[in-house]
Amino acid sequence: MARVLIPDAIDLAPTAALRGLGRRGHICDVAWSYEGVRTRLGGRYCNSFIPVPSLHDDPDGFAQAIVELCSTGKYDVLLPTRASSLGALLPHRNRLGRLTGLLMPTDDQFHIGMDKDRTINMCRDLGVLHPETALLVRGSPIEEVAAKLGYPLVAKHRRNFGASIGVRVVANESELGAAVQALLRHTGKIEDLMFQRFLPGPLYDACLVARSGELAGLVTQARTLMYPISGGVGCILVTVDIPQLTEQATQLVRDLNWTGACQIEFKWDPDAREFSLIEINPRFWATTGAWLRAGVNFPALAVELAMGRDPEPFVPIAPNLRFKYMVGRTPLALCQLWRAKGLQALRDPVRYARTWYDFDIADPLPDLARAYDEIRSALQGQRALIDESLPATLIPSLETPVAARSCTVK
């Protein structure tokens, strides 16, 4: 049993960490700037909430508070699960490492993931396939840059904001201005944006925990339904067994000497007959909890590594398992898929070995809180249906990952 401090707000990844660690008998406290009723919605595995300064308003005060909590000797492991908390705590990594167990990426590793320009440079240095990319610079006509790349294309932030707010698929020139303006709402600098060649098909994720380049656990999955459906956050996930995908992810982890949790996103490039790296998320991913009930406990693996232990040999998860997120953007994604490809597109002809859903009846409070947040956001107009103007042939079908197994031969 370990005493673990999680310095994050309660959302998908921290909830998965609480559940995964709690079910292994670990005691977890959450340090965050919550007030009022929300502090009571951490679920059955949250031992206590500890109020700390707001990470958003006072990042230095937040980091100092976490250091002081670890200096009490009360915690065996500090486990940040989100990029924001990792970014605030990394400057204090050496000091924290003397106070408690850590499993955090280095500064270079973290910024390779958080800055997509650095991701692309890493790909060039290591010979890793990536989509053709064009960086925007102030004063250059964005229409000319886009025309050289061709449509459809992907407009995105250089900073890793995540697929929900940091990425837009642009089908044609008439959509370009609106997409750029939407991205600029999160940054006022045109040079913070980039364009990439669009690759059709689902996103494939290699989700893993490693220490010094050695994998402790790895799951490969396909996002068979995303929102937006052309490429976004995962709504329906399916485990896949594609040796080429596993080998590429494993080699990248070794080349980077990676330490910590990581989600590496790929798309299949039909011209190169190889998986193309889209981005690296240097943190626990939003779908960490998807396979907990299948026995894949990444948070527990991370705690073992942080305490200097060698975990038990990892048993690969079976392919053809499915996980559905029914709370959140999934209804919007299904509606979008229906409007783009017709009612028949909602039927998945594949027979899956097993299907799980995101509502955990044994620990309902975090899921109820998430449902409340989504309903409130929808009523406030923060969740809107985004219609796709891409040709239907470029939009992934639910059964795509099964056909993708034939893509393993180069």
Side-chain angles (χ1 to χ4, degrees):
M1 181 189 75
R3 192 80 181 233
V4 182
L5 180 64
I6 299 177
D8 290 300
I10 297 297
D11 58 15
L12 283 170
T15 295
L18 287 168
R19 288 171 173 168
L21 298 177
R23 289 166 186 169
R24 291 290 179 89
H26 301 307
I27 298 174
C28 300
D29 291 345
V30 172
W32 197 248
S33 55
Y34 279 137
E35 295 179 358
V37 66
R38 186 72 190 213
T39 63
R40 295 191 287 273
L41 297 179
R44 63 184 295 186
Y45 300 111
C46 178
N47 178 63
S48 67
F49 276 97
I50 303 171
V52 294
S54 168
L55 172 57
H56 180 267
D57 298 329
D58 185 9
D60 291 335
F62 167 83
Q64 187 57 42
I66 300 302
V67 171
E68 290 175 2
L69 285 170
C70 293
S71 68
T72 64
K74 184 178 179 180
Y75 297 104
D76 302 299
V77 173
L78 173 67
L79 191 67
T81 64
R82 305 174 76 196
S84 55
S85 56
L86 272 168
L89 295 172
L90 270 176
H92 307 271
R93 177 180 178 173
N94 291 339
R95 184 178 176 190
L96 285 167
R98 294 191 292 268
L99 300 173
T100 187
L102 293 178
L103 190 76
M104 296 166 62
T106 65
D107 285 343
D108 284 344
Q109 292 167 349
F110 180 75
H111 290 295
I112 283 173
M114 294 304 296
D115 185 338
K116 294 185 176 70
D117 185 26
R118 293 183 65 169
T119 305
I120 296 301
N121 289 334
M122 177 274 299
C123 289
R124 292 168 179 158
D125 291 342
L126 298 179
V128 175
L129 182 67
H130 62 86
E132 184 181 354
T133 302
L135 299 177
L136 299 185
V137 296
R138 186 172 298 277
S140 63
I142 61 172
E143 294 82 3
E144 293 182 10
V145 177
K148 290 179 181 178
L149 206 57
Y151 293 98
L153 59 80
V154 180
K156 58 173 63 176
H157 284 283
R158 279 181 47 172
R159 178 171 170 76
N160 191 338
F161 283 114
S164 59
I165 63 172
V167 179
R168 295 288 186 275
V169 176
V170 182
N172 48 59
E173 186 175 348
S174 64
E175 296 182 1
L176 184 63
V180 169
Q181 289 305 312
L183 294 174
L184 285 175
R185 285 199 292 268
H186 302 283
T187 174
K189 300 178 180 179
I190 192 70
E191 56 266 32
D192 287 342
L193 306 185
M194 61 194 295
F195 294 154
Q196 283 188 328
R197 182 169 73 93
F198 174 77
L199 293 174
L203 275 165
Y204 294 87
D205 301 313
C207 305
L208 58 98
V209 171
R211 181 176 60 194
S212 300
E214 294 299 321
L215 285 169
L218 169 71
V219 168
T220 51
Q221 63 188 27
R223 306 182 198 180
T224 63
L225 181 67
M226 299 172 281
Y227 189 74
I229 54 176
S230 57
V233 295
C235 300
I236 298 178
L237 312 170
V238 176
T239 56
V240 294
D241 180 13
I242 306 176
Q244 186 176 340
L245 177 63
T246 301
E247 291 165 8
Q248 284 184 227
T250 301
Q251 187 60 51
L252 184 60
V253 168
R254 289 174 179 163
D255 289 342
L256 294 176
N257 199 34
W258 192 271
T259 291
C262 182
Q263 180 189 47
I264 310 174
E265 298 179 9
F266 295 92
K267 273 200 168 186
W268 176 253
D269 188 323
D271 296 331
R273 302 293 294 170
E274 189 177 342
F275 284 97
S276 182
L277 189 143
I278 303 301
E279 64 182 49
I280 299 173
N281 297 312
R283 51 166 171 75
F284 281 97
W285 46 99
T287 58
T288 300
W291 311 114
L292 274 178
R293 279 175 278 176
V296 185
N297 196 331
F298 284 109
L301 286 174
V303 165
E304 291 295 302
L305 294 178
M307 297 180 70
R309 301 171 181 169
D310 291 327
E312 296 179 1
F314 184 76
V315 178
I317 192 171
N320 208 37
L321 303 177
R322 180 173 57 176
F323 191 94
K324 290 185 174 183
Y325 281 94
M326 299 312 295
V327 175
R329 297 178 179 86
T330 305
L332 293 176
L334 291 170
C335 185
Q336 188 186 29
L337 184 62
W338 164 58
R339 292 170 70 162
K341 301 189 71 169
L343 191 62
Q344 74 280 357
L346 303 184
R347 178 182 174 273
D348 188 347
V350 179
R351 293 179 63 88
Y352 293 96
R354 190 171 177 185
T355 297
W356 288 274
Y357 297 89
D358 56 332
F359 195 88
D360 190 335
I361 194 65
D363 184 33
L365 284 181
D367 297 324
L368 289 172
R370 184 162 50 90
Y372 168 77
D373 286 342
E374 289 293 338
I375 293 171
R376 183 183 62 178
S377 297
L379 293 175
Q380 293 175 347
Q382 298 175 19
R383 295 284 185 267
L385 178 62
I386 303 172
D387 279 323
E388 290 282 12
S389 57
L390 287 173
T393 54
L394 297 181
I395 295 173
S397 300
L398 293 178
E399 72 275 11
T400 301
V402 174
R405 294 179 190 179
S406 64
C407 295
T408 59
V409 179
K410 296 180 68 173

